[in-house]
Amino acid sequence: MQTTSKVLLMSVIAMTTITSSVFAGGPDKPGASVVKPDADNAGLKLPAGFGALKVAEGLGRTRHIAVTNNGSIYVKLDRAKNNNGILFLQDTNGDGKVDKQSGFGNYGGTGIYVKGDYLYATSNENIYRYKLDAQQQVTDPANPETVVSGLLDRRQHESKSIVLDDAGNIYVNVGAYSNSCQTQDRTQGSLGMQPCPVLDSAGGIWQFKADKLNQAYGDGVRYATGLRNVVGLDWNKSQNQLFVMQHGRDQLHDLFPSLYTEKQSADLPAECMYALKQGSDCGWPYIYYDPFTNRKMLAPEYGGDGKKTGGETAENPVVAFPAHMAPNGLLFYTGTQFPEKYRNGAFIAFHGSWNRSPENQAGYYVVFVPFKDGKPSGKWEVFADGFAGPGPVKSPGDAQHRPCGLAQGPDGSLYVTDDAKGTVYRIVYKAK
């Protein structure tokens, strides 16, 4: 009888452990609670089997996001709110909603990343790091260490997105302070500077040492060039390679109305994903990519007419997306919560367009690209939609929410930030 009772007790304990480790259909650490999607899936349209909840709302202009091994969240704000540019969010009761919030870092910016024993964060000019304790909480929030200072900020494409590899390097975007390197920026008929002087100090990805303090801009390596602006980037661990999403150029019709119609200007050029290696040149400002002909086209500032090709030695994109949708987040999914098709594939958060007139603005969603052996293995598809709300979007101000940052939780959940209303979403795969 005693043996039977002991067996029953052990069975109950085992079942309790199994139940507590189920987290919306995926594995989690023992002791976690089951997280339920919001009744309306937080207003999102998702594939069958997926659900979503709003983790937090009204935070400010939430840009990129990092989630710790225990599920706590760090969010970077574009503008400091109440003297806090970084928010630390915790769910202490396991229901998936933030119930404890603190902040630090009195500076705006976009980049944030957790790696090893440090939290890395950026302003529009500097890269900082904060020491983490065993629970991945910042130990001295008032005194960050400066990793890099003096990054170029000319008030256009100024956000400094970052990612780290596994070899001690940090990669940072330095966006071009220009649309297309015209002699007079965004001026009708103005031709491009040859060579483009912007590329000496911007329009690319710079590499620095993650463990070396007080580096100056000149201490970095220009890892890749010819990139107008990169906000979304990620390190693909399966390929050990940096991937980036470029914001393509604007205003083909406005600047060269005799060469491009309004419709062509709305549809060109593609927003491109590139797989980079050291020394990569993606061709900006001399070329743009036409997603309809799948060709690199000579820019009108440099003698192009909408028909001439160029950039024979420039990198080809690995994926081309519709124009002007502003890809602000990139994440390669390595979790096991989502179905197998998502493993090692790419999620991209599109912030949404502003210059697709006379058409409606587009984007404002998260898409998925399947990958196999480090390369896209199928067509991209919309994964999470509905951020913008009902009705057509004529201008960005019409959009209720605008996706920006992406992160993966320890259980395999997908987190998405929105910098219009300061919402953090969590997308889970529901248990069958």
Side-chain angles (χ1 to χ4, degrees):
M1 189 69 179
Q2 206 170 17
T3 302
T4 303
S5 299
K6 186 176 181 181
V7 169
L8 286 171
L9 179 61
M10 291 178 67
S11 297
V12 169
I13 292 173
M15 286 301 295
T16 301
T17 302
I18 291 169
T19 302
S20 67
S21 69
V22 174
F23 198 97
D28 195 11
K29 295 181 179 180
S33 302
V34 175
V35 171
K36 295 180 180 179
D38 292 343
D40 64 347
N41 280 340
L44 302 184
K45 300 173 184 176
L46 300 163
F50 286 90
L53 59 153
K54 290 181 179 179
V55 171
E57 299 181 78
L59 298 176
R61 297 183 62 171
T62 51
R63 298 288 283 178
H64 285 181
I65 177 172
V67 183
T68 69
N69 291 337
N70 59 19
S72 297
I73 300 168
Y74 290 100
V75 177
K76 190 73 193 71
L77 298 185
D78 182 54
R79 297 174 185 171
K81 184 177 180 180
N82 300 323
N83 294 318
N84 296 317
I86 300 171
L87 300 181
F88 181 55
L89 311 176
Q90 294 174 281
D91 167 21
T92 62
N93 62 10
D95 68 352
K97 306 280 187 176
V98 168
D99 50 46
K100 186 177 181 181
Q101 175 181 325
S102 58
F104 56 96
N106 186 20
Y107 54 91
T110 290
I112 197 157
Y113 201 81
V114 170
K115 185 74 171 180
D117 295 330
Y118 290 94
L119 171 73
Y120 296 82
T122 70
S123 68
N124 291 335
E125 296 179 348
N126 303 328
I127 304 174
Y128 303 101
R129 74 177 189 181
Y130 299 81
K131 189 75 169 63
L132 299 175
D133 62 19
Q135 287 72 47
Q136 292 192 301
Q137 295 189 29
V138 170
T139 59
D140 190 0
N143 296 291
E145 297 176 316
T146 300
V147 180
V148 181
S149 61
L151 297 172
L152 198 68
D153 176 9
R154 297 281 181 86
R155 309 299 179 187
Q156 185 176 176
H157 304 147
E158 68 273 18
S159 64
K160 301 299 184 289
S161 304
I162 54 171
V163 71
L164 280 76
D165 64 16
D166 292 326
N169 299 304
I170 189 167
Y171 301 85
V172 57
N173 165 66
V174 183
Y177 49 93
S178 170
N179 175 41
S180 52
C181 207
Q182 292 174 285
T183 302
Q184 295 178 288
D185 192 32
R186 297 182 187 269
T187 299
Q188 188 176 115
S190 180
L191 297 181
M193 293 180 276
Q194 181 71 268
C196 175
V198 174
L199 294 174
D200 291 344
S201 56
I205 302 295
W206 265 253
Q207 180 194 64
F208 295 90
K209 294 297 182 184
D211 60 354
K212 183 180 179 183
L213 301 181
N214 301 313
Q215 297 170 85
Y217 196 2
D219 295 326
V221 173
R222 188 177 67 177
Y223 189 81
T225 191
L227 289 159
R228 178 175 175 269
N229 189 36
V230 169
V231 185
L233 74 172
D234 197 17
W235 189 261
N236 186 320
K237 292 183 179 295
S238 68
Q239 291 299 108
N240 198 31
Q241 187 174 15
L242 179 64
F243 281 70
V244 302
M245 295 296 308
Q246 177 177 231
H247 283 219
R249 52 115 7 108
D250 302 323
Q251 299 176 296
L252 284 168
H253 171 74
D254 293 345
L255 302 177
F256 295 91
S258 64
L259 299 177
Y260 298 90
T261 66
E262 286 185 311
K263 179 72 166 64
Q264 287 175 311
S265 193
D267 292 338
L268 297 172
E271 306 282 48
C272 294
M273 177 191 288
Y274 291 99
L276 302 181
K277 56 185 181 296
Q278 187 165 345
S280 288
D281 183 350
C282 297
W284 180 91
Y286 308 113
I287 62 169
Y288 63 86
Y289 194 79
D290 185 328
F292 301 100
T293 63
N294 295 318
R295 294 188 300 173
K296 292 173 288 189
M297 309 300 294
L298 192 63
E301 291 82 359
Y302 295 92
D305 59 1
K307 299 176 183 177
K308 296 177 183 175
T309 60
E312 288 76 11
T313 60
E315 299 285 346
N316 288 309
V318 294
V319 188
F321 298 91
H324 312 304
M325 297 202 307
N328 274 12
L330 173 63
L331 174 76
F332 285 97
Y333 184 79
T334 59
T336 57
Q337 182 188 135
F338 291 6
E340 180 66 28
K341 69 170 279 188
Y342 296 98
R343 194 76 49 81
N344 297 317
F347 287 103
I348 302 104
F350 284 99
H351 196 232
S353 64
W354 64 268
N355 63 333
R356 287 179 62 88
S357 274
E359 300 180 10
N360 292 331
Q361 301 306 317
Y364 312 99
Y365 48 43
V366 176
V367 310
F368 175 73
V369 182
F371 268 65
K372 184 177 181 180
D373 300 326
K375 295 180 180 180
S377 59
K379 293 182 178 180
W380 65 274
E381 60 191 50
V382 175
F383 174 76
D385 203 354
F387 293 94
V393 178
K394 297 295 184 181
S395 69
D398 296 337
Q400 293 180 8
H401 303 275
R402 304 186 70 184
C404 185
L406 298 171
Q408 181 180 305
D411 68 310
S413 295
L414 178 67
Y415 290 78
V416 185
T417 63
D418 142 56
D419 67 358
K421 296 288 178 61
T423 306
V424 176
Y425 298 84
R426 180 177 180 177
I427 299 174
V428 297
Y429 188 68
K430 295 180 286 188
K432 298 294 180 68

